[in-house]
C-alpha cells in the first residue's frame, strides 16, 4: 500500500490566476507563455500579492534559471505599474495616500473608489460596494 498518497499535480500560473485581480490577468498569461518557452514543465512554488505587487516563485528542472528569474522579475516590476482592478497604467498607493497602510497597484480612477471602500477584489473578481464612502 502506498502511504504517500497521490502525487501532487504541478501547478502553473493559469491554475492560480484567480487569486489576484483581473487587471493582472493579461500580464500573468504573458508570463505563463514566456515561462513555457523557457521551461515548459515549470512549477509555481509561490504566488501572492504583497506590498502592492506580485510575488512569484517558480522552479524548473533543466530550465535556464537566469532566464526564468528574468521573466519573473520583469512581470513583478510590471505589476507595480499596472492597476490590479482594471489593468490601466498606475502605481502602488495606499488608501487615501496615507503614509501607512495597505498598498495596492491602482490607477487614478480605481484608487479613488478603492480609497472610499467602494471597490474590493473577492476571489479574483472586482466587486462594487454601493453606498460606501
Amino acid at each position: 500500500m502506498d502511504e504517500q498518497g497521490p502525487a501532487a499535480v504541478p501547478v502553473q500560473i493559469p491554475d492560480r490566476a484567480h487569486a489576484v485581480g483581473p487587471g493582472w490577468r493579461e500580464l500573468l498569461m504573458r508570463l505563463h507563455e514566456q515561462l513555457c518557452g523557457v521551461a515548459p514543465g515549470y512549477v509555481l512554488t509561490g504566488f501572492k500579492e504583497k506590498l502592492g505587487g506580485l510575488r512569484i516563485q517558480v522552479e524548473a528542472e533543466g530550465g535556464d534559471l537566469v532566464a526564468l528569474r528574468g521573466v519573473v522579475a520583469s512581470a513583478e516590476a510590471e505589476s507595480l505599474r499596472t492597476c490590479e482592478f482594471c489593468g490601466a497604467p498606475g502605481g502602488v498607493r495606499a488608501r487615501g495616500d496615507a503614509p501607512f497602510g495597505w498598498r495596492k497597484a491602482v490607477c487614478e480612477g480605481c484608487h479613488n473608489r478603492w480609497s472610499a471602500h467602494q471597490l474590493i477584489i473577492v476571489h479574483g473578481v472586482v466587486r462594487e460596494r454601493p453606498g460606501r464612502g
Side-chain angles (χ1 to χ4, degrees), residues 21-26 78 81-90 105 107 110:
W24 285 346
R25 298 270 163 65
E26 183 179 324
E78 185 179 347
R81 303 182 307 270
T82 305
C83 180
E84 187 180 356
F85 289 102
C86 71
C107 65
C110 291

Side-chain angles (χ1 to χ4, degrees), residues 100-114:
F100 300 103
W102 186 8
R103 305 232 175 262
K104 187 168 273 304
V106 293
C107 65
E108 188 65 34
C110 291
H111 179 260
N112 293 335
R113 295 181 331 181
W114 176 64

Side-chain angles (χ1 to χ4, degrees), residues 105-127:
V106 293
C107 65
E108 188 65 34
C110 291
H111 179 260
N112 293 335
R113 295 181 331 181
W114 176 64
S115 289
H117 297 270
Q118 294 172 341
L119 281 183
I120 59 173
I121 296 171
V122 179
H123 301 291
V125 177
V126 175
R127 308 271 176 156

